């Protein structure tokens, strides 16, 4: 804009300059004033019109046209020229339904009347956004690391100071603001390895196999980048559960791999059936090279917790079919149902004996974002990769080096997840009280959600054994399905959009996660406070009954 005004001024002044043929500074203005003085009284001079303080001559207009022509040239980056793999990426949890929710929020702020006073975003597992309080000890350590002057403050407990000093000693210049090694701070990787050994009852873990990541998502994407190769029928096939967390389908699209769906058994509490794995694998061999098997346990969006026998069967299948296993275990602290227990793939693999433990390639993932911590914004996480070829290990470190290092504050937060206060330490009692309060509250909300959904006609919800979501199955009448088609929407997207517009509740249609043909679901988080969750569920109940009546 400044360049445009400057060009116009120069043109209005006759392209004044100091060289031959140029006029003296201000000469254009003097001529204009002299011309105005010779006109009869009361008559305005004709000529260049004023635009603010700028007078526009024909030369200025011509210059402006030329500049506009240059400004409106074709864009280099368009939908046609962009990377087609990126265009193919879809991410349902922040998709069209969430954009619509944002528009409605703006309308509410402007005072536009709606049948509700607020939008309840139950579309994503963002614990602190839903009112969950941070764990005090974790925040104390990160605060001390961020501002070391606080290490002299009597307001902070000594066990928090001890951990902060250890983390800072691992940082360049004793500062959280320095880059770290690409794999992450060494002492934190040591703490992760110790945590895995405690969790898995003494199964050894090597810090050199630990990679700190920007949330679990970063690690999953990095491993997939290393794994995916080939073209035509040799393109890498990645087996993912349906329903799945859309990170997987998005990453597979971006990397131009082949998505191979295997279906979880909804009639059997979303169990994982090896016969279904074999069906999916054998069918996929006709058009790709399946070599990766992804498991989410506890499940997202389905909330199931796989039992020990199921995990053994999956490991045997991967060993038999030579598949690289990815175990997404970010909800390992979120187990609620009696009789359910989290078993890590690493532990079961080890207990199955050396033939399995020394051969099956496994990457497992954890995060600060879920569990009892809910620290999504810190983007802290880790992956443990075992049985990786030594040369590939070097390639993985090289790939991770491109992004320099994960956020260092996130690394510090991850350290507290794996190295919390222990009995006898000053902060232990408060830490345990806060942790158990969060997890007990989530267990109550899981049961409340399951029970209330199953009282609604035309809705069925499997037991919420773990994680922090419900994925109820909803009946949608044929009349509503026809109307959805007329609006060029999936039936469950149509349902969820109506729910949002009439109640202010934002949930994600099951089609964004995948579901069996002819079935419809939605995913919602159970994170809202209990009283707000009750209101939300009552609103869903009332809406669903009216929806069935309208489209009966």
């Amino acid at each position: 804009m400044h360049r445009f005004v400057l060009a116009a001024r120069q043109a209005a002044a006759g392209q004044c300059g100091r060289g031959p043929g140029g006029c003296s500074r201000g000469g254009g203005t003097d001529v204009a004033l002299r011309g105005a003085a010779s006109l009869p009284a009361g008559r305005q001079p004709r000529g260049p019109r004023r635009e603010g303080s700028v007078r526009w001559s024909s030369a200025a207009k011509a210059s402006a046209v030329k500049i506009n022509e240059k400004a409106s040239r074709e864009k280099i980056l368009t939908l046609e020229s962009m990377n087609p793999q990126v265009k193919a990426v879809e991410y349902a949890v922040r998709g069209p339904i969430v954009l619509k929710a944002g528009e409605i929020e703006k309308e509410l702020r402007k005072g536009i009347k709606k049948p509700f006073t607020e939008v309840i975003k139950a579309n994503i597992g963002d614990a602190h956004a839903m009112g969950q309080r941070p764990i005090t000890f974790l925040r104390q350590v990160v605060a001390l690391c961020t501002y070391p002057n606080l290490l002299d403050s009597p307001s902070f407990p000594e066990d928090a100071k001890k951990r902060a000093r250890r983390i800072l000693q691992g940082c360049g210049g004793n500062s959280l603001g320095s880059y770290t090694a690409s794999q992450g701070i060494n002492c934190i990787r040591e703490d992760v390895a110790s945590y895995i050994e405690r969790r898995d009852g003494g199964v050894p873990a090597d810090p050199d196999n630990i990679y700190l990541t920007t949330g679990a998502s970063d690690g999953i994407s990095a491993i997939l980048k290393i794994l995916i190769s080939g073209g035509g029928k040799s393109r890498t096939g990645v087996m993912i559960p349906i329903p799945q967390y859309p990170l997987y389908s998005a990453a597979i699209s971006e990397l131009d791999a082949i998505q191979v769906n295997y279906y979880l058994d909804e009639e059997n509490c979303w169990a994982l059936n090896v016969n279904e794995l074999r069906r999916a694998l054998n069918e996929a061999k006709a058009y790709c090279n399946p070599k990766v098997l992804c498991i989410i346990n506890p499940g997202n969006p389905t909330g199931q917790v796989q039992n020990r026998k199921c995990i053994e069967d999956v490991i045997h299948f991967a060993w038999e079919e030579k598949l690289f296993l990815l175990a997404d275990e970010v909800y390992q602290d979120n187990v609620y149902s009696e009789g359910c227990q989290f078993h890590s793939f690493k532990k079961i693999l080890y207990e199955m004996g050396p033939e399995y433990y020394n051969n099956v390639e496994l990457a497992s993932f954890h995060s600060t974002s879920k569990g009892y911590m809910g620290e999504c914004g810190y983007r802290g996480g880790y992956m443990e990769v075992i049985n990786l070829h030594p040369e590939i290990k070097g390639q993985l470190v090289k790939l991770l080096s491109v992004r320099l290092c994960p956020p260092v504050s996130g690394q510090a937060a991850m350290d507290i997840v794996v190295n919390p206060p222990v009995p006898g330490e000053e902060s232990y009692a408060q830490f345990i009280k806060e942790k158990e309060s969060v997890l007990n509250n989530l267990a109550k909300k899981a049961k409340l959600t399951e029970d209330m959904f199953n009282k609604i006609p035309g809705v069925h919800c499997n037991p919420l054994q773990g994680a922090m979501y419900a994925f109820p199955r909803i009946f949608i009448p044929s009349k509503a399905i026809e109307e959805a088609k007329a609006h060029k929407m999936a039936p469950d997207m149509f349902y969820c959009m109506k729910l949002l517009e009439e109640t202010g509740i934002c949930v994600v249609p099951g089609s964004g996660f995948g579901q069996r043909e002819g079935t419809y679901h939605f995913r919602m988080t159970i994170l809202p406070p209990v009283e707000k969750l009750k209101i939300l569920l009552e609103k869903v109940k009332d809406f669903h009954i009216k929806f069935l009546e309208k489209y009966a």
Side-chain angles (χ1 to χ4, degrees):
M1 187 64 190
H2 295 304
R3 189 178 64 183
F4 178 82
V5 172
L6 179 61
R9 282 176 174 160
Q10 287 174 337
Q15 300 296 335
C16 293
R18 293 187 180 184
C23 58
S24 63
R25 281 185 298 179
T29 305
D30 291 342
V31 170
L33 290 173
R34 285 198 299 272
S38 65
L39 289 170
R43 186 165 166 195
Q44 295 299 315
R46 290 185 180 178
R49 68 182 177 87
R50 289 182 176 274
E51 187 73 32
S53 63
V54 180
R55 281 177 293 176
W56 300 86
S57 68
S58 57
K61 290 176 185 175
S63 177
V65 168
K66 285 179 183 175
I67 290 167
N68 275 330
E69 283 173 356
K70 288 180 183 175
S72 61
R73 67 170 192 170
E74 282 188 15
K75 299 290 186 190
I76 295 166
L77 184 60
T78 66
L79 283 173
E80 288 69 37
S81 69
M82 73 175 286
N83 184 337
Q85 273 68 57
V86 174
K87 189 158 63 172
V89 168
E90 294 183 3
Y91 189 62
V93 295
R94 293 196 175 186
I97 199 89
V98 183
L99 296 176
K100 182 67 177 176
E103 290 172 13
I104 291 173
E105 282 184 316
K106 287 178 185 175
E107 290 173 353
L108 286 170
R109 284 196 292 270
K110 288 177 182 175
I112 296 172
K113 295 296 180 186
K114 302 282 181 186
F116 46 87
T117 57
E118 67 169 332
V119 171
I120 302 175
K121 288 185 177 176
N123 61 295
I124 196 165
D126 192 350
H128 293 184
M130 288 288 183
Q132 182 177 307
R133 304 308 304 159
I135 298 296
T136 302
F137 187 76
L138 187 150
R139 285 297 182 90
Q140 285 174 331
V141 176
V142 174
L144 289 163
C145 289
T146 305
Y147 190 61
N149 289 3
L150 294 173
L151 288 164
D152 296 325
S153 169
S155 301
F156 289 79
E158 284 304 316
D159 48 358
K161 291 178 180 180
K162 179 182 174 183
R163 281 164 178 77
R165 289 189 184 99
R166 183 166 182 266
I167 293 167
L168 288 171
Q169 284 167 7
C171 297
N174 290 320
S175 172
L176 222 59
S178 60
Y179 289 128
T180 71
S182 301
Q183 272 187 257
I185 297 171
N186 189 59
C187 68
I188 297 179
R189 290 190 291 118
E190 289 172 354
D191 289 345
V192 171
S194 298
Y195 162 80
I196 291 170
E197 288 184 5
R198 292 194 307 273
R199 181 197 69 186
D200 293 344
V203 174
D206 183 350
D208 201 36
N209 292 334
I210 307 296
Y211 303 80
L212 300 182
T213 56
T214 307
S217 304
D218 175 48
I220 292 164
S221 296
I223 285 293
L224 287 174
K225 281 179 187 175
I226 290 279
L227 279 161
I228 288 167
S229 63
K233 286 188 177 181
S234 68
R235 278 167 76 192
T236 298
V238 182
M239 301 181 68
I240 64 171
I242 298 296
Q244 53 108 18
Y245 177 52
L247 161 69
Y248 292 94
S249 54
I252 290 165
S253 288
E254 183 184 349
L255 297 169
D256 198 24
I258 299 292
Q259 178 175 316
V260 179
N261 296 338
Y262 67 87
Y263 291 91
L264 300 175
D265 185 358
E266 184 172 11
E267 307 307 318
N268 191 22
C269 203
W270 300 111
L272 199 167
N273 188 299
V274 172
N275 291 331
E276 170 60 13
L277 287 179
R278 189 160 281 112
R279 176 208 62 79
L281 179 81
N282 290 336
E283 287 182 10
K285 283 178 179 177
Y287 55 86
C288 70
N289 174 26
K291 63 179 183 184
V292 187
L293 173 57
C294 302
I295 312 289
I296 309 173
N297 180 51
N300 174 11
T302 46
Q304 86 286 0
V305 179
Q306 303 295 358
N307 62 39
R308 183 191 183 90
K309 175 67 167 59
C310 174
I311 295 172
E312 287 176 350
D313 290 345
V314 171
I315 290 171
H316 177 75
F317 178 77
W319 172 81
E320 186 178 51
E321 299 291 347
K322 297 182 179 175
L323 297 170
F324 194 112
L325 267 176
L326 302 188
D328 182 338
E329 298 174 334
V330 302
Y331 296 98
Q332 58 190 260
D333 288 305
N334 300 106
V335 178
Y336 314 123
S337 293
E338 284 186 26
C340 288
Q341 182 183 349
F342 170 74
H343 300 281
S344 78
F345 269 75
K346 164 88 176 290
K347 180 187 178 191
I348 303 301
L349 179 63
Y350 189 84
E351 291 174 351
M352 287 175 71
E355 188 174 11
Y356 293 94
Y357 183 69
N358 292 327
N359 290 294
V360 175
E361 292 152 276
L362 168 70
S364 53
F365 309 90
H366 196 16
S367 167
T368 64
S369 301
K370 309 303 175 185
Y372 58 89
M373 307 80 65
E375 294 284 8
C376 304
Y378 276 118
R379 309 309 301 128
Y382 75 75
M383 62 178 172
E384 181 186 24
V385 191
I386 60 172
N387 291 324
L388 205 59
H389 190 289
E391 291 176 2
I392 292 298
K393 201 168 187 177
Q395 293 295 318
L396 178 57
V397 172
K398 178 185 75 175
L399 178 64
L400 295 174
S401 298
V402 173
R403 52 89 158 122
L404 296 174
C405 67
V408 187
S409 56
Q411 295 186 48
M414 190 75 248
D415 188 68
I416 305 314
V417 175
V418 299
N419 185 25
V422 295
E425 287 190 310
E426 184 179 349
S427 301
Y428 178 74
Q430 183 182 9
F431 171 79
I432 286 297
K433 182 181 177 182
E434 290 176 352
K435 175 182 176 180
E436 290 181 351
S437 173
V438 170
L439 293 176
N440 290 339
N441 202 23
L442 283 168
K444 287 176 189 172
K445 290 191 281 191
K447 191 74 175 86
L448 169 71
T449 303
E450 176 195 333
D451 290 346
M452 288 191 72
F453 272 141
N454 286 326
K455 289 176 184 174
I456 304 173
V459 176
H460 174 71
C461 185
N462 271 320
L464 307 184
Q465 297 174 333
M468 48 184 63
Y469 311 100
F471 197 67
R473 184 168 173 174
I474 51 175
F475 172 70
I476 299 181
S478 55
K479 218 170 144 186
I481 293 171
E482 289 303 314
E483 190 167 330
K485 285 179 183 173
H487 286 86
K488 296 182 179 177
M489 285 185 186
D492 49 7
M493 172 63 86
F494 176 76
Y495 178 96
C496 292
M497 200 63 83
K498 290 286 184 187
L499 175 67
L500 173 63
E501 291 168 349
E502 295 179 26
T503 68
I505 295 169
C506 179
V507 297
V508 190
S511 49
F513 300 87
Q515 55 199 350
R516 282 195 181 274
E517 188 76 24
T519 68
Y520 305 107
H521 304 78
F522 64 79
R523 188 193 82 160
M524 60 158 272
T525 182
I526 61 170
L527 287 170
V530 171
E531 290 311 310
K532 184 172 274 193
L533 183 62
K534 285 179 181 175
I535 293 167
L536 184 157
L537 293 167
E538 284 292 343
K539 282 187 171 186
V540 172
K541 176 184 175 183
D542 294 343
F543 167 82
H544 188 79
I545 291 168
K546 288 175 187 173
F547 186 86
L548 293 183
E549 289 172 353
K550 180 177 179 179
Y551 293 102

